[in-house]
């Protein structure tokens, strides 16, 4: 009878331990799943042709509930210099660029050669603490991409409580973003060589045409041209009336018609 009670007790203890282990495992799986979703830097795109100019966007997770990201540093690979790397404008963040000088110049996207290239970009948060802990999203315009199989980027993320997380690099705590490079596009290469290619990311040269404001600001060009045309016509009218005035004054001595300048009611003709 005693041994039976002991067996029942042991069974109950085993059930309790097993249940606790299942609960702990479920919690760990849940936590691991959450971290796995948010633990990687998301970069878009993840592949591009060699020699191309593109825009890269990075989304860094914010994993500290009581802190927020105050600084992000992007380091370019030292062994694969890229001629042109420019930070894109992002609200609440101010970029600072550090350059280095190469021993051998690199071809730029639109012709010419460059010896000073970007070594790193540091973004500083210049706004108050964010309300939500959404990912930090930053973008760069970059190119021409090197003749290699891949480009490994290193990102260093600093939080408001002093915590530093390093993504990629030889001493990285987390895997960094990797851009896979595919075969070069001959058409794109020809476009860059002839200065007819687009800006990084496929945009056209801003000097080719006046900017157009989608909200209607582009109508300013039309208004300016209309004003010039109106001024030319008004000048012609003034010359004609001055000629008539001279002829009338010489023939009759009476007061001639006069062109009165702009006043409260604008330009007008008076006798």
């Amino acid at each position: 009878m005693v041994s039976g009670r002991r067996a029942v007790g042991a069974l109950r203890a085993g059930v309790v331990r097993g249940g606790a282990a299942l609960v702990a495992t479920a919690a760990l799986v849940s936590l691991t799943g959450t971290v796995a979703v948010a633990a990687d830097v998301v970069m878009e795109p993840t592949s591009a042709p060699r020699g191309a100019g593109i825009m890269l966007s990075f989304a860094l997770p914010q994993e500290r509930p009581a802190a927020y990201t105050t600084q992000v540093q992007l380091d370019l690979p030292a062994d694969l210099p890229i001629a042109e790397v420019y930070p894109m404008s992002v609200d609440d963040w101010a970029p600072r660029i550090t350059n280095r000088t190469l021993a051998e110049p690199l071809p730029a996207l639109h012709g010419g050669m460059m010896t000073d290239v970007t070594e790193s970009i540091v973004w500083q948060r210049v706004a108050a603490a964010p309300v939500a802990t959404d990912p930090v999203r930053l973008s760069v315009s970059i190119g021409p991409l090197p003749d290699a199989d891949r480009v490994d980027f290193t990102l260093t993320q600093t939080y408001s409580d002093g915590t530093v997380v390093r993504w990629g690099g030889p001493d990285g705590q987390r895997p960094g973003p990797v851009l896979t490079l595919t075969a070069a596009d001959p058409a794109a290469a020809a476009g860059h060589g002839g200065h007819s290619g687009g800006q990084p990311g496929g945009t056209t040269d801003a000097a080719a045409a006046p900017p157009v404001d989608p909200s209607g600001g582009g109508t300013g060009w039309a208004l300016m041209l209309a004003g010039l045309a109106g001024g030319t016509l008004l000048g012609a009218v003034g010359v004609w009336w001055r000629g008539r005035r001279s002829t009338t004054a010489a023939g009759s001595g009476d007061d001639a018609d006069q062109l009165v300048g702009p006043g409260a009611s604008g330009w007008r003709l008076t006798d």
Side-chain angles (χ1 to χ4, degrees), residues 243-257:
R244 179 180 175 184
R245 175 187 176 187
S246 300
T247 303
T248 305
S252 63
D254 296 333
D255 291 338
D257 296 335

Side-chain angles (χ1 to χ4, degrees), residues 38 60-72 133 136 156-167 174:
L60 291 82
Q62 301 206 71
E63 301 174 312
R64 301 190 62 77
Y68 60 94
T69 303
T70 57
Q71 178 179 296
V72 175
T133 55
V136 175
T156 304
Q157 182 179 16
T158 303
Y159 286 90
S160 56
D161 62 357
T163 301
V164 176
V165 179
R166 190 172 178 86
W167 306 84
R174 308 283 187 86

Side-chain angles (χ1 to χ4, degrees), residues 2-188:
V2 174
S3 59
R5 291 177 179 176
R6 288 178 179 175
V8 172
L11 180 60
R12 288 178 178 174
V15 170
V16 171
R17 287 194 298 269
L22 287 174
V23 171
T25 302
L28 179 61
V29 169
S30 176
L31 178 60
T32 303
T34 302
V35 173
V37 171
D40 294 332
V41 171
V42 177
M43 183 183 69
E44 294 181 348
T46 57
S47 65
R50 299 180 182 95
I54 63 171
M55 186 175 73
L56 282 177
S57 64
F58 302 94
L60 291 82
Q62 301 206 71
E63 301 174 312
R64 301 190 62 77
Y68 60 94
T69 303
T70 57
Q71 178 179 296
V72 175
Q73 177 171 329
L74 169 66
D75 291 307
L76 284 300
D79 58 339
L80 290 175
I82 300 173
E84 299 184 56
V85 182
Y86 308 114
M88 308 303 290
S89 177
V90 179
D91 291 342
D92 302 336
W93 292 91
R96 184 178 73 253
I97 302 174
T98 299
N99 293 331
R100 64 188 176 105
T101 302
L102 301 176
E104 297 291 336
L106 288 176
L109 275 171
H110 299 91
M113 305 295 286
M114 299 184 68
T115 54
D116 289 337
V117 300
T118 299
E119 181 178 44
S120 65
I121 300 173
V122 175
W123 286 271
Q124 292 277 357
R125 184 172 181 84
V126 293
V131 176
T133 55
D134 295 332
V136 175
R137 302 183 186 278
L138 302 168
S139 300
V140 294
S141 182
I142 181 172
L145 295 174
D147 184 11
D149 294 330
R150 55 187 281 169
V151 178
D152 294 76
F153 298 97
T154 301
L155 290 162
T156 304
Q157 182 179 16
T158 303
Y159 286 90
S160 56
D161 62 357
T163 301
V164 176
V165 179
R166 190 172 178 86
W167 306 84
D171 56 347
Q173 302 156 296
R174 308 283 187 86
V178 177
L179 180 67
T180 301
L181 299 181
T182 59
D185 183 356

